[in-house]
């Protein structure tokens, strides 16, 4: 990690020193344990769902899905049900005219490298209402009383809808003008520096990427000429296209007992698919430093293999567009959201019909090095997902593929949709944050923020 950071442009050496020092006081020690021994949870072998004794936090339940247009029209799976809406929030402030973000070094049990940069606030409702009986969440009042400041973004967004059932978080960016001191484990960083750090594997957390994507960019300029599947599309056309898909595609879900899931079996270490693919539900015991609670246990989802999320990108009249895909997943609130061109774990398709293989996957994986604009492996949310990662790719192409389930859109158009809930998937937001990093000029010298003054 240190070597990767040292080669990252726009990142001063004192950041490396701060981040490495944070590892000594902020960390998790994670031990995988048999699922039945997860303390504080009902994870008995015959349990119909895995639930916390408080009735809060989240549960792992069984789901049966029927998808009218999928190559595999019916399947069973475990899924995380967390009906609470959490807060993911970034405080921002200008120092000498340069926008800075207050980020925290946060350790999550599922992080493959322990420590990652996260938003100022990252908390479920159970956390910030004190169900865990831990320390208060720092800086929370800035987001609970945002009216006292300037709110730049405030919108509920979905999580990964193949693993979370209708899960939403409130993504917020709040600008302050008064001095706000960075507490231990927190640091004011220029926005350009945060974006530069996206080039380092497994450093910027999924939650921070999600909120960064909601930062308005490009002034929201819309394409006004008529659109088509193989060319630029107006935002009004995109909205109509999404609405038509939500009306046409039928995705129905039924909760079933974990013990009744077809194709899955309970083992001592967890719940696994009979093929050995897709993902497992496992148990972990956690000891932590620098968090609201010092010790706990929980179930987690552990995916098999590193996934791929990618945008194909092309220029129309000199302006960069990305190819978005209408995705229908069982956990979406409203059937369809816009995802990347490709989103999959390739090895899972060895067991699925040929028709299920994602379009454009081969084009993405065979791209010439000179066509790859961005290539980094980033972690998914480490509070519920264990060592789960995706390779993020932005691939420039001269082709103009045409398909009714895909459209070319500008980053500015996606930014407009991100002012509203449930239009852009978590994976697409993550890629969009990477795309914004491409356009950053050399970072100006940081102003005399709190780190400089002390």
């Amino acid at each position: 990690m240190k070597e990767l950071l040292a080669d990252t442009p726009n990142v001063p050496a004192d950041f490396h020193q701060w981040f490495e020092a944070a590892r000594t006081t902020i960390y998790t020690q994670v031990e995988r344990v048999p699922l039945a021994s997860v303390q504080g949870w009902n994870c008995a072998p015959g349990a119909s769902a895995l639930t916390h004794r408080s009735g809060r936090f989240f549960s792992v339940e069984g789901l049966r899905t029927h998808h009218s247009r999928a190559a595999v029209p019916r399947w069973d799976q475990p899924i995380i049900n967390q009906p609470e809406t959490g807060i993911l929030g970034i405080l921002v402030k200008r120092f000498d005219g340069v926008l800075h973000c207050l980020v925290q070094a946060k350790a999550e049990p599922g992080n493959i490298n322990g420590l990652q940069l996260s938003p100022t606030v990252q908390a479920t409702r159970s956390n910030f209402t004190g169900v865990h009986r831990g320390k208060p969440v720092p800086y929370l009042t800035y987001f609970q009383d945002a009216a006292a400041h300037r709110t730049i973004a405030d919108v509920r967004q979905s999580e990964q809808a193949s693993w979370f059932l209708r899960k939403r978080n409130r993504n917020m960016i709040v600008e302050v003008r008064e001095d706000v001191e960075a507490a231990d484990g927190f640091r004011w960083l220029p926005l350009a520096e945060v974006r530069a750090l996206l080039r380092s594997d497994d450093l910027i957390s999924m939650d921070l990427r999600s909120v960064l994507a909601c930062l308005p960019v490009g002034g929201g300029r819309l394409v006004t000429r008529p659109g088509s599947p193989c060319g630029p599309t107006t935002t009004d056309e995109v909205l109509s296209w999404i609405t038509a898909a939500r009306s046409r595609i039928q995705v129905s879900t039924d909760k079933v007992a974990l013990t009744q899931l077809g194709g899955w079996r309970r083992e001592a270490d967890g719940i696994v698919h009979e093929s050995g693919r897709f993902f497992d539900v496992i148990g972990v015991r956690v000891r932590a430093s620098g968090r609201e609670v010092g010790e706990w246990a929980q179930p987690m989802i552990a995916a098999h293999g590193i996934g791929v999320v990618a945008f194909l990108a092309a220029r129309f009249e000199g302006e960069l567009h990305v190819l978005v895909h209408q995705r229908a997943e069982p956990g979406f609130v409203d059937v369809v959201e816009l995802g990347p061109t490709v989103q999959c774990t390739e090895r899972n398709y060895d067991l699925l019909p040929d028709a299920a293989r994602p379009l454009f996957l081969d084009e993405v994986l065979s791209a010439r090095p000179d066509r790859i604009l961005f290539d980094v492996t980033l972690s998914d949310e480490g509070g519920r997902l264990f060592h789960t990662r995706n390779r993020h790719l932005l691939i420039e192409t001269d082709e103009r593929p045409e398909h009714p389930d895909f459209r070319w859109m500008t980053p500015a158009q996606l930014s407009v949709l991100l002012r509203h809930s449930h239009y852009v998937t978590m994976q697409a937001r993550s890629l969009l944050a990477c795309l914004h990093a491409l356009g950053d000029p050399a970072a100006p010298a940081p102003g005399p923020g709190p780190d400089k003054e002390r």
Side-chain angles (χ1 to χ4, degrees):
M1 172 66 75
K2 185 181 292 187
E3 290 75 11
L4 283 171
L5 291 177
D7 293 334
T8 303
N10 301 342
V11 180
D14 63 345
F15 170 81
H16 314 326
Q17 297 165 3
W18 169 78
F19 193 74
E20 291 305 315
R23 292 185 186 278
T24 64
T25 57
I26 304 170
Y27 56 83
T28 55
Q29 298 173 339
V30 182
E31 176 189 3
R32 288 185 62 162
V33 298
L35 198 54
S37 67
V38 175
Q39 294 182 351
W41 291 74
N42 176 20
C43 295
S48 61
L50 311 182
T51 56
H52 192 262
R53 63 188 177 192
S54 68
R56 303 288 297 276
F57 298 109
F58 66 95
S59 58
V60 179
E61 303 176 1
L63 196 72
R64 178 163 295 151
T65 298
H66 298 264
H67 187 326
S68 65
R69 286 170 52 87
V72 180
R74 175 193 176 281
W75 69 91
D76 290 359
Q77 66 170 93
I79 198 164
I80 296 172
N81 186 6
Q82 187 173 358
E84 304 174 341
T85 298
I87 293 178
L88 307 177
I90 302 176
L91 278 187
V92 298
K93 179 177 169 62
R94 295 185 183 275
F95 297 102
D96 291 348
V98 178
L99 193 68
H100 285 58
C101 305
L102 184 62
V103 296
Q104 65 168 310
K106 190 174 183 66
E108 294 281 12
N111 289 351
I112 197 165
N113 57 348
L115 202 63
Q116 296 187 10
L117 280 186
S118 296
T120 317
V121 166
Q122 175 184 322
T124 66
R125 178 172 292 276
S126 291
N127 289 147
F128 61 73
T129 56
V131 175
H132 57 20
R133 299 181 182 177
K135 302 174 186 175
V137 177
Y139 305 107
L140 180 63
T141 55
Y142 288 98
F143 301 94
Q144 291 180 320
D145 187 21
H149 310 282
R150 180 187 175 219
T151 301
I152 295 176
D154 188 358
V155 60
R156 291 198 301 177
Q157 300 289 7
S158 61
E159 298 291 291
Q160 296 98 324
S162 58
W163 287 328
F164 292 90
L165 182 63
R166 293 185 283 278
K167 175 73 174 75
R168 291 159 287 180
N169 277 318
R170 189 178 178 187
N171 285 233
M172 303 182 70
I173 302 174
V174 174
E175 185 175 8
V176 293
R177 291 180 173 83
E178 70 270 24
D179 291 337
V180 177
E181 184 175 359
D184 290 343
F186 291 78
R187 185 178 177 92
W188 285 102
L189 291 179
L191 174 61
E193 189 173 312
V194 176
R195 286 177 168 167
L197 291 169
L198 278 162
R199 294 185 178 275
S200 297
D201 287 352
D202 302 309
L203 178 59
I204 301 294
S205 75
M206 186 198 81
D207 294 315
L208 181 52
R209 301 193 306 268
S210 178
V211 186
L212 287 172
C214 296
L215 184 68
V217 296
R221 187 172 68 83
L222 309 184
V223 179
T224 56
R225 55 187 177 277
S228 72
C230 56
T233 307
T234 68
T235 300
D236 284 345
E237 289 170 335
V238 169
L239 291 171
S240 178
W241 176 58
I242 295 171
T243 300
R246 288 173 170 173
S247 302
R248 180 181 69 255
I249 299 172
Q250 297 180 2
V251 178
S252 61
T253 58
D254 298 295
K255 292 183 180 180
V256 297
L258 290 171
T259 53
Q260 299 300 313
L261 291 177
W264 296 80
R265 64 174 181 263
R266 177 69 180 260
E267 296 183 347
D269 289 341
I271 301 171
V272 303
H273 193 266
E274 61 187 10
S275 68
R277 301 295 179 91
F278 306 111
F279 62 89
D280 302 337
V281 180
I282 65 171
V284 298
R285 182 183 299 125
V286 186
R287 292 180 177 85
S289 174
R291 292 192 47 119
E292 293 86 0
V293 176
E295 186 172 348
W296 73 93
Q298 66 175 91
M300 301 191 80
I301 281 181
H304 287 269
I306 297 176
V308 173
V309 293
F311 272 139
L312 288 181
R315 296 186 182 274
F316 293 84
E317 298 182 8
E319 186 171 22
L320 191 72
H321 290 63
V322 294
L323 190 63
V324 300
H325 178 210
Q326 284 183 346
R327 292 191 61 86
E329 297 180 5
F332 285 144
V333 172
D334 200 0
V335 186
V336 164
E337 295 189 18
L338 298 184
T341 317
V342 171
Q343 174 188 317
C344 71
T345 301
E346 185 185 14
R347 67 193 301 265
N348 291 338
Y349 289 86
D350 295 345
L351 304 174
L352 298 177
D354 290 342
R357 187 171 175 83
L359 291 174
F360 311 118
L361 173 60
D362 295 328
E363 182 173 351
V364 164
L365 296 180
S366 64
R368 300 195 318 262
D370 64 314
R371 307 300 276 173
I372 300 176
L373 304 178
F374 206 95
D375 185 357
V376 66
T377 299
L378 298 170
S379 297
D380 281 336
E381 194 271 332
R384 304 287 178 265
L385 308 177
F386 185 79
H387 292 187
T388 300
R389 311 163 75 207
N390 284 288
R391 185 182 176 195
H392 287 56
L393 289 158
L394 300 171
I395 308 293
E396 191 160 17
T397 179
D398 295 325
E399 301 296 324
R400 301 293 186 269
E402 181 175 346
H403 192 280
D405 294 338
F406 293 79
R407 288 289 188 277
W408 290 101
M409 294 181 65
T410 66
Q413 285 178 301
L414 286 172
S415 184
V416 169
L417 292 183
L418 280 168
R419 298 174 189 171
H420 308 279
S421 300
H422 312 142
Y423 279 108
V424 182
T425 69
M426 177 65 246
Q427 292 87 345
R429 297 198 303 274
S430 186
L431 274 174
L432 192 60
C434 296
L435 184 61
H436 292 164
L438 287 177
D440 267 6
D451 295 295
K452 306 293 182 181
E453 293 170 353
R454 291 198 300 272

